[in-house]
Amino acid sequence: MSGVIDAGPRVREAVTVALDILEREGRDALTMRSLAGRMGIRAPSLYKHIRGKEELDALMIAEGFRRAGAALHEASDAAPPGSTRTALLLAVAHAYRAWALAHPHLYRLMTGGPLPRDRMPEGLEAWTAEPLVRAAGDPDLARAAFAFAHGMTILELDGRFPPGADLGGAWTAGVEALAR
């Protein structure tokens, strides 16, 4: 799953520019009008390519899944052959956390509210989850690990842990507990 979403050049440009606005300025700064302005076109012209904000969000979520999935696959593939379940889960968890913290606005868009599965490229969600499912060795354990990782990530992004809390230690303890 490589490259920006499978779409025409104007849509790919819109998604790339929208992701830049989102990452630099946050969700409130991203409007169809601001996107069109950054692309050097008028908003009505943008609507010829993207029907509206919901479609744009779905396109950005899909691209986020592709990028996050690439990071998770890279971490999983880098694990030495014969790694324990704990080692594999830790590798994927560390990659998940690092990616989410590096892309907090996109992460929130990807994980907040219902996932627009009907607008996602077929197989993308499963491909993104594949390294976690493989590391967990069980779909239910993978779901539990995802819930743990997402909860830890959102709490960290929201600044809900006490100052000086050893979050790396908490991640390791949680993953080790899940792997048992």
Side-chain angles (χ1 to χ4, degrees):
M1 300 260 165
S2 62
V4 176
I5 48 115
D6 184 24
R10 198 55 142 173
V11 172
R12 287 193 305 272
E13 177 189 5
V15 171
T16 300
V17 173
L19 287 169
D20 184 62
I21 294 169
L22 178 70
E23 294 284 30
R24 290 176 189 265
E25 301 173 43
R27 191 160 167 88
D28 291 342
L30 180 57
T31 64
M32 295 299 277
R33 185 177 305 271
S34 69
L35 175 57
R38 294 277 176 89
M39 293 175 65
I41 61 175
R42 294 174 0 126
S45 296
L46 181 57
Y47 283 99
K48 292 176 185 174
H49 304 282
I50 298 175
R51 290 186 293 274
K53 190 72 165 50
E54 284 183 13
E55 183 177 347
L56 178 62
D57 284 351
L59 290 166
M60 290 190 303
I61 290 168
E63 181 59 17
F65 268 63
R66 190 201 60 76
R67 293 177 183 187
L72 299 180
H73 277 270
E74 183 178 319
S76 176
D77 294 347
S83 293
T84 65
R85 179 181 2 206
T86 301
L88 289 171
L89 282 171
L90 280 169
V92 172
H94 289 309
Y96 182 93
R97 178 185 183 202
W99 191 89
L101 295 178
H103 307 281
H105 298 296
L106 180 55
Y107 179 81
R108 287 179 190 279
L109 176 65
M110 291 166 56
T111 61
L115 181 62
R117 284 188 173 90
D118 60 325
R119 294 179 177 207
M120 300 285 288
E122 188 173 332
L124 178 60
E125 183 181 9
W127 176 82
T128 301
E130 188 177 282
L132 178 58
V133 174
R134 190 171 51 241
D138 174 76
D140 291 332
L141 180 58
R143 286 184 196 97
F146 168 73
F148 166 77
H150 175 63
M152 287 291 293
T153 299
I154 285 296
L155 290 170
E156 186 171 0
L157 287 173
D158 287 347
R160 299 298 302 264
F161 290 107
D166 178 9
L167 299 185
W171 274 86
T172 298
V175 169
E176 287 175 348
L178 284 163
R180 285 196 281 272

